[in-house]
């Protein structure tokens, strides 16, 4: 009987032994690892390397370079804290407060946080201030908390500005005057916002938008800080974006109201702020201010070009027109070389179904002066002659003549039937075109083409400049059309009845 029991128990014992084998195998490894950490810690302590102990604890806390162990981390922070390492004192103090990785002990936590605070460690000051405000160590002590928040902010912990400002704004730390408290809070939010504190930016924007007693409403500034907070934030919600759009719209119309009320200083600065944050409509209004001269700083037409150009590129009504006309009005000068927007606008007006012939001239003029950066001679020729012959624009005619004076004969030009050639008088040639067109205007009105129904005789020549006789001294009319083809399409452009140049 006994032998049978032994026979049954033996396999069970063997099975249990096999199951426990991994545990027995693991125990020496764990023990060796623990000894290794202890050896490292003792070595660092012997070298007085509190910082090394602290970061060894960080490795065990995050588990990236060492096996994750909160208890090991806290134990290492405790040893570094005892050596006077401020951040280790802070970390160990937090562990004592939460009870994570060690036994909870609020009194010991307070001691550790105070030790780090005594070394001006900002996060410890902030946490200790929150504990005093919450009444963790007895009755709430907001005065002490407020001082700790300010000290933490001075030490570079920017989020402490929010805690200090909230004590002011909510009247927990008060001067006895609500307006003064709100102003003080706004200053603290501003200091934190400028130091990069995102919650401070949002709170400052809220104060500018809501305008509590003592704070002047400024929607443009509210938009600035809402936008900065949104751009710098780790998470970007649709609600935040929609809020920015709403405030942007309200800020623009508030600035328009200021302008209409004659409050130009306020309106100008609001438009400038909104334009700096890429508000196209605000940039247009800023450009109008600068170009028209009713800004608080006087007329600055050259400065107006940049905001008008941005507004034009973003399809603000009239922005392209005002930018183009101001570009032409200022004229070319050293340092300004972008006439492309202006040319694009004037071309669209000249080439429309109902052409603006002054715009045709402006296209030619922008190309004529080299500092605008365009300099297309064919464009000058074609648009100047269109302005002259179709639109009767005197400046267009003058520019067409100027171009003819500057140009030589067209490639492959031939001597005329009357024996003349191009080199005799370009001045007479272009002058003759104008005079001949004038005499043939009635024919054009009925036939639709200048000179098609007849040609001009080469008799009765004269040497006087700029008249038909002078022209006839050089070549007949049909030759003139061929010879002057290089100044554009004047000879085939429709000539409006009543045009004094036709």
């Amino acid at each position: 009987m006994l032998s049978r029991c032994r026979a049954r128990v033996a396999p069970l014992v063997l099975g249990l032994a096999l199951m426990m084998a991994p545990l027995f195998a693991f125990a020496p490894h764990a023990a060796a690892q623990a000894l290794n950490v202890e050896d490292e810690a003792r070595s660092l302590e012997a070298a007085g390397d509190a910082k090394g102990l602290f970061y060894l604890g960080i490795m065990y806390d995050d588990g990236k370079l060492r096996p994750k162990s909160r208890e090991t981390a806290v134990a290492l922070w405790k040893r570094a804290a005892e050596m006077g390492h401020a951040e280790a004192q802070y970390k160990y103090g937090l562990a004592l407060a939460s009870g994570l990785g060690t036994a909870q002990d609020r009194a010991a936590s307070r001691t550790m946080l105070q030790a780090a605070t005594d070394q001006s460690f900002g996060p410890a000051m902030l946490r200790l201030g929150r504990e005093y405000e919450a009444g963790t160590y007895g009755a709430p002590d907001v005065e002490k908390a407020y001082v700790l928040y300010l000290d933490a902010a001075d030490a570079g912990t920017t989020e402490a500005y929010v805690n200090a400002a909230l004590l002011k704004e909510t009247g927990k730390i008060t001067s006895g005057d609500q307006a003064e408290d709100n102003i003080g809070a706004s200053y603290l939010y501003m200091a934190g916002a400028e130091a990069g504190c995102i919650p401070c930016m949002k709170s400052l924007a809220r104060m500018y938008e809501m305008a509590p007693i003592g704070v002047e409403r400024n929607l443009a500034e509210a938009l600035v800080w809402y936008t900065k907070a949104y751009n710098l934030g780790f998470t970007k919600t649709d609600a935040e974006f929609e809020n920015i759009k709403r405030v942007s719209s309200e800020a623009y119309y508030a600035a328009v109201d200021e302008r209409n009320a004659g409050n130009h200083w306020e309106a100008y600065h609001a438009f400038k702020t909104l334009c700096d944050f890429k508000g196209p409509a605000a940039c247009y209004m800023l450009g109008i201010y600068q170009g028209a001269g009713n800004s608080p700083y006087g007329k600055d037409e050259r400065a107006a070009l940049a905001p008008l150009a941005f507004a034009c590129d973003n399809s603000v009504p009239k922005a392209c027109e005002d930018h183009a006309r101001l570009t032409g009005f200022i004229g070319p000068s050293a340092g300004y070389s972008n006439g492309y927007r202006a040319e694009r606008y004037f071309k669209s007006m000249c080439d429309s179904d109902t052409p603006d012939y002054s715009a045709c001239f402006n296209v030619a003029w922008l190309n004529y002066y080299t500092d605008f950066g365009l300099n297309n001679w064919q464009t000058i020729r074609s648009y100047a002659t269109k302005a002259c012959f179709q639109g009767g624009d005197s400046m267009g005619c003058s520019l067409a003549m100027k171009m003819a004076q500057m140009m030589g004969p067209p490639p492959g030009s031939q001597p005329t039937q009357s024996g003349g050639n191009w080199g005799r008088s370009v001045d007479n040639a272009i002058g003759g075109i104008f005079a001949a067109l004038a005499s043939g205007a009635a024919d054009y009105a009925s036939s639709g083409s200048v000179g098609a129904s007849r040609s001009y005789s080469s008799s009765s020549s004269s040497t006087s400049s700029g008249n038909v006789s002078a022209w006839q001294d050089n070549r007949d009319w049909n030759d003139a059309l061929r010879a002057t083809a290089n100044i554009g399409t004047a000879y085939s452009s429709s000539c409006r009845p009543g045009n004094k140049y036709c």
Side-chain angles (χ1 to χ4, degrees), residues 270-360:
F271 288 135
K272 187 176 187 310
T273 299
L274 295 171
C275 181
D276 289 343
F277 274 77
K278 308 304 180 186
C283 286
Y284 174 68
M285 297 301 290
L286 176 64
I288 294 299
Y289 255 120
Q290 293 172 328
N294 60 341
S295 81
Y297 305 102
K299 183 181 289 189
D300 190 346
E301 292 156 337
R302 196 161 301 282
L305 289 172
L308 288 176
F310 180 77
C312 171
D313 291 345
N314 285 274
S315 304
V316 175
K318 286 191 93 285
C320 292
E321 176 184 356
D322 289 326
H323 173 268
R325 296 195 184 284
L326 186 59
T327 298
F329 176 76
I330 292 174
S333 63
Y336 180 72
S337 61
N338 185 359
Y340 292 100
R341 287 184 189 84
E343 182 196 43
R344 190 164 59 244
Y345 169 76
F346 286 131
K347 276 185 174 180
S348 71
M349 298 303 292
C350 177
D351 297 336
S352 68
D353 293 338
T354 55
D356 177 345
Y357 294 107
S358 64
C360 300

Side-chain angles (χ1 to χ4, degrees), residues 149-170:
Y149 293 149
L150 294 180
D151 289 344
D154 288 342
T157 304
T158 58
E159 61 183 298
Y161 281 110
V162 172
N163 297 84
L166 280 171
L167 288 179
K168 275 284 188 184
E169 188 179 359
T170 57

Side-chain angles (χ1 to χ4, degrees), residues 189-190 193 198-212 215-231 240-252 254 269-270 273-274 277:
Y189 287 135
M190 174 66 78
I198 294 174
C200 298
M201 296 176 189
K202 294 179 180 179
S203 295
L204 180 62
R206 171 180 53 79
M207 292 198 84
Y208 275 129
E209 181 187 2
M210 305 308 295
V215 178
E216 185 176 352
R217 194 167 196 241
N218 190 327
L219 288 172
E221 284 296 323
L223 177 66
V224 167
W225 292 111
Y226 277 134
T227 304
K228 283 186 177 181
Y230 179 82
N231 289 335
E240 287 179 299
F241 184 73
E242 290 301 318
N243 185 55
I244 288 171
K245 286 172 60 179
R246 175 186 60 79
V247 174
S248 175
S249 177
E250 291 179 5
Y252 172 76
H269 283 280
T273 299
L274 295 171
F277 274 77

